[in-house]
């Protein structure tokens, strides 16, 4: 099944891309900015850190699954999303 023939896959790939970007920005802000300087922002950060950790580990697996469902096609956007989510996962460990 090609991605270009299924608009739902294109929409899902776009949503995954947005999620990967948000997770990457979240980890970069958490590592480079003193978020506890303003207590309200620190509270928001503490509330959403657990879902962000879960999404950080689940998104690469989800992208690999959808890339597999497209028969490991090099033209699939899920290949590039897998690479991007793996880089985001590496940011988590640095």
């Amino acid at each position: 099944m090609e991605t270009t023939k299924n608009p739902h896959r294109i929409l899902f790939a776009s949503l995954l891309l947005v999620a990967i970007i948000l997770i990457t920005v979240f980890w970069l802000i958490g590592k480079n900015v003193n978020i506890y300087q303003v207590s309200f922002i620190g509270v928001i950060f503490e509330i959403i850190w657990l879902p962000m950790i879960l999404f950080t580990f689940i998104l690469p697996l989800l992208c690999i699954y959808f890339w597999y469902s497209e028969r490991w096609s090099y033209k699939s956007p899920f290949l590039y999303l897998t690479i991007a989510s793996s880089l985001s996962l590496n940011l988590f460990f640095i």
Side-chain angles (χ1 to χ4, degrees):
M1 175 187 307
E2 289 187 28
T3 305
T4 56
K5 293 184 180 179
N6 192 345
H8 297 294
R9 292 254 188 205
I10 295 171
L11 176 64
F12 190 69
S14 301
L15 291 175
L16 281 176
L17 178 64
V18 169
I20 291 168
I21 291 170
L22 289 176
I23 289 171
T24 304
V25 167
F26 178 82
W27 291 121
L28 287 174
I29 288 173
K31 289 185 180 283
N32 295 323
V33 176
N34 183 8
I35 55 168
Y36 297 108
Q37 188 174 7
V38 178
S39 61
F40 178 73
I41 295 173
V43 168
I44 298 297
F45 188 83
E46 287 293 325
I47 289 172
I48 63 174
W49 73 269
L50 184 60
M52 288 295 180
I53 289 176
L54 293 175
F55 284 133
T56 301
F57 288 103
I58 290 172
L59 282 180
L61 298 174
L62 194 62
C63 291
I64 289 171
Y65 171 75
F66 282 109
W67 185 34
Y68 166 76
S69 70
E70 292 187 356
R71 297 187 180 118
W72 306 108
S73 172
Y74 291 116
K75 295 180 181 179
S76 171
F78 296 108
L79 165 65
Y80 304 107
L81 290 172
T82 301
I83 294 169
S85 61
S86 298
L87 292 175
S88 178
L89 184 64
N90 285 333
L91 264 177
F92 177 76
F93 289 115
I94 293 177

